[in-house]
């Protein structure tokens, strides 16, 4: 319920800030600030995308967890989007998200709340065979027939390999 209330309150807060800040600094500076916001936002998104690709290559090349660079890149993109939206409050939040200490703190807080299930990042070796005694392990049940030594090179009369079903 509170996200809906915040979404409805945001335009009211932005209008109140436009009126109060515009009255304090004047129309010209207010318009310049409002028009510079989207330009800065687009620049942040553009540089965040390029930087995220470079930051992502290093952990993958070193076989480290790429979650932190990806999360920080996502926060930078959110900051850019907030800068694009017109208003002083969204610009202030967007600029605050560009500060590295705040960004690191958000990533740490999110990291404590996120639980990784399965995959190589969950402390499991992706090349290790699953333990069939463990519940939920991938076990494939099959049958085999031992072929005597002399019959290994013999193929069926119809030319099939013998590995396929009818």
């Amino acid at each position: 319920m509170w996200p809906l209330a915040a979404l409805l309150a945001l335009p009211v807060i932005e209008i109140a800030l436009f009126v109060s800040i515009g009255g304090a600094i004047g129309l010209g500076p207010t318009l310049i600030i409002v028009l510079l916001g989207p330009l800065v936002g687009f620049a942040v998104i553009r540089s965040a995308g390029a930087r995220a690709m470079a930051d992502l290559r290093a952990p993958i090349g070193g076989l480290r967890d790429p979650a932190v660079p990806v999360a920080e890149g996502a926060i930078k993109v959110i900051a850019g989007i907030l800068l694009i939206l017109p208003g002083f409050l969204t610009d202030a939040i967007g600029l605050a998200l560009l500060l590295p200490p705040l960004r690191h703190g958000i990533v740490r807080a999110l990291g404590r709340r996120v639980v990784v299930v399965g995959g190589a990042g969950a402390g499991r070796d992706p090349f290790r065979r699953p333990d069939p005694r463990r519940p939920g392990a991938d076990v494939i049940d099959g049958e085999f027939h031992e072929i005597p030594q002399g019959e290994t090179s013999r193929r069926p009369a119809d030319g099939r390999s013998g590995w396929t079903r009818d």
Side-chain angles (χ1 to χ4, degrees):
M1 184 69 183
W2 68 268
L4 179 63
L7 189 63
L8 293 174
L10 182 64
V12 174
I13 294 169
E14 292 289 8
I15 291 170
L17 286 173
F18 273 126
V19 170
S20 62
I21 293 175
I25 64 174
L27 178 64
T30 303
L31 288 177
I32 290 173
I33 292 171
V34 169
L35 294 176
L36 280 178
L39 296 176
V40 172
F42 284 122
V44 165
I45 290 175
R46 187 174 181 168
S47 69
R51 178 75 179 183
M53 290 305 293
D55 287 346
L56 192 58
R57 284 189 192 108
I60 290 176
L63 296 177
R64 293 189 320 261
D65 186 18
V68 172
V70 169
E72 289 200 4
I75 292 172
K76 288 178 187 175
V77 169
I78 291 170
I81 291 170
L82 288 172
L83 286 168
I84 291 170
L85 295 175
F88 289 106
L89 180 63
T90 54
D91 287 352
I93 295 171
L95 288 172
L97 288 177
L98 291 177
L99 298 173
L102 180 63
R103 226 179 25 246
H104 297 317
I106 291 171
V107 169
R108 271 192 310 251
L110 288 175
R112 286 191 295 263
R113 299 189 77 162
V114 173
V115 177
V116 178
V117 178
R124 182 175 74 132
D125 184 3
F127 301 108
R128 189 185 56 142
R129 294 181 59 119
D131 184 5
R133 298 168 296 200
R134 186 176 52 104
D138 295 331
V139 177
I140 300 174
D141 191 18
E143 296 180 10
F144 69 94
H145 300 282
E146 197 167 326
I147 300 174
Q149 184 74 22
E151 297 182 25
T152 57
S153 63
R154 190 178 69 171
R155 295 187 75 147
D158 59 2
R160 293 190 344 234
S161 69
W163 287 96
T164 58
R165 290 187 181 197
D166 293 333

